[in-house]
Structure formats: C-alpha cells, structure tokens
Amino acid sequence: MTEPQGPEPDDLTLSLHNVTAAPGPTPESLSVVLQTSRGEIPGIFHPVQGGSGAAICAGGAMGGLDGPAGGLFGRLPDLLMPRNVSVLRLDYREPNVFEECVLDILAGCSFLKGIGATDAVLVGHSFGGAVVVKAGALHPLVRGVASLSPQLYGTRQVEELDRPLLLVHGSADEVLDFEASEDIYRRALDPKRLVIYGDAGHSLGTVAEALDDLLAPWIEARLLGETMESGRTVEWPADAESGGQ
C-alpha cells in the first residue's frame, strides 16, 4: 500500500518565535509553551542545571505528556537527572497529523539548542515512534532515537537516519504488531538495536521496570557519544504477563 502524500516540502516550515514558562506540576519542572509560526506547542520541561544533553518525549496519535508503560515520560526526569540530562515532554498542536507532529519535535530541538543544549535523544511511542524516526534524521542536535511500539507509516525513509536507533516492541502487541519494528530494524542503518519483550502489549505496561532500566542508560550513552553495537534480542522479564498492556 502506498503511503498518502503529505504537504509539499515548501509547506513544511515552522519557525520558533517565543517560549513562555510557568511553574510546572512538580517543583523542579516548568510548564512551557513554544510559540511558533504554526501555533502553540505545550509541554513540560525538566531542566538540569549545567547539563548540555536532553531527551525529548513524543506521545502517541492522541498526544499527551505521560507516555507508555504507566507514565514513562513522567519517570524519565527522575531517571535522567542523576545523569545530568534534561527532559522536554511535548504535546502536539495537531495530534495524528504526521507532518505537523514532526515539526513540533523539530521545534523542541530548536528550543533546546537555543538554551544551550548540544545533544539530544528523541523518545517516541506508537505514532510518536515514527515521528521521532523522521525528526531524528532532520535535526543536527539529535544523537539517537528510541522508538517504542512504533507504527510503520512515517518510517519509509528510516534509511536516512544516520543516528543510533533503539526499537522496542512487545510480542503481544494487538494494536501495532511487533513485525512493524522488525521491518524498521531490517531497513535501518547500523548501529541499531531491537528489543522484543515477550508477552508485553502495546503500552509495555508489564515491562515498565525493564524499560526504565534499558532506556535511561541508553539515552545517557548516546549523549556521551559511546559506541553502540547492533543486535536483536528477545527478553522475558519476570513480571511480563501474557497479553499484558
């Protein structure tokens, strides 16, 4: 099946005009709004003073700031703060509009660069897993991409992603079959890693702890520029249950 054509490249432009910030939901966070030429992008920023690396989180087709696995995006700031990594959790201006959501993540990269970040890792789930694959190939700030339970649409040009790629999927995903990640993995350039969690569902809820343990050091390693080996593994965490969400 041929992917539908999006807007012409000349139409896919967005400029970041201003950023407003207010106290966030936690004492060390900020509620931010990225004001752009195409509208406002809401998010939550968890800055780490003195850190030059950051992670940007992108949700599924409906957007949102919490992420999969029982709120992974909300946990990442605490996991990454000891590693001197800031976290920007972005929502979408137009959820489920692929090209617009890619622009939102690129705006997040521009925001981070503007405040002094030198390196970033993109983390996306489901629809957002494809968004970050596309965005990761387009911004020089990006040092790695983590795509969790990704959809296929939007990954047609994964061959152009010349950054380390981590793919994670559950073998019991009934929303997006894990073959999507297998397909992306086959087409992607090295270095690339695919982790299949046995009997985990689309949201990876039954493997939340294992996902935390995988993702935090992986993000840190990419920001430090450490060498990554390619490979595919199937893992069966003890708490994974058949059909788990």
Side-chain angles (χ1 to χ4, degrees):
M1 180 177 179
T2 303
E3 291 186 2
Q5 295 297 310
E8 292 299 316
D10 289 345
D11 296 331
L12 293 178
T13 58
L14 178 149
S15 57
L16 182 61
H17 291 165
N18 192 27
V19 178
T20 60
T26 61
E28 298 177 340
S29 67
L30 296 170
S31 293
V32 296
V33 177
L34 311 187
Q35 299 174 349
T36 79
S37 56
R38 300 174 80 95
E40 296 184 341
I41 308 169
I44 300 175
F45 184 43
H46 303 260
V48 175
Q49 295 298 322
S52 61
I56 300 179
C57 301
M62 300 305 293
L65 297 168
D66 295 331
L72 170 66
F73 298 165
R75 296 193 303 274
L76 273 181
D78 287 338
L79 294 170
L80 293 176
M81 185 177 296
R83 305 170 190 268
N84 216 30
V85 179
S86 300
V87 176
L88 176 62
R89 300 154 60 192
L90 286 181
D91 209 345
Y92 300 128
R93 291 172 295 112
E94 299 184 44
N96 207 32
V97 181
F98 185 79
E99 293 84 1
E100 295 294 337
C101 295
V102 171
L103 291 178
D104 291 346
I105 301 306
L106 295 177
C109 291
S110 296
F111 162 67
L112 290 174
K113 183 178 180 181
I115 62 172
T118 58
D119 310 280
V121 169
L122 308 183
V123 182
H125 175 247
S126 191
F127 168 87
V131 167
V132 295
V133 166
K134 181 64 175 179
L138 298 175
H139 203 287
L141 197 73
V142 178
R143 300 291 177 263
V145 172
S147 182
L148 316 176
S149 308
Q151 66 178 32
L152 269 178
Y153 175 76
T155 69
R156 180 175 52 188
Q157 296 171 314
V158 69
E159 296 90 341
E160 299 177 5
L161 178 68
D162 59 351
R163 283 85 162 176
L165 173 64
L166 171 65
L167 294 156
V168 178
H169 223 117
S171 68
D173 191 332
E174 296 181 352
V175 178
L176 296 169
D177 192 273
F178 73 92
E179 179 56 36
S181 284
E182 298 274 16
D183 183 275
I184 297 167
Y185 179 77
R186 285 190 290 267
R187 292 183 288 112
L189 301 174
D190 292 319
K192 56 188 178 180
R193 182 180 178 190
L194 170 60
V195 178
I196 301 294
Y197 283 124
D199 286 342
H202 184 64
S203 72
L204 303 166
T206 59
V207 293
E209 184 175 352
L211 186 59
D212 289 357
D213 292 343
L214 169 69
L215 200 55
W218 189 88
I219 292 172
E220 180 184 31
R222 303 291 74 76
L223 294 173
L224 292 174
E226 296 179 4
T227 301
M228 172 181 155
E229 294 185 1
S230 296
R232 175 191 180 279
T233 59
V234 178
E235 301 182 13
W236 297 82
D239 59 348
E241 298 175 1
S242 179
Q245 300 298 309

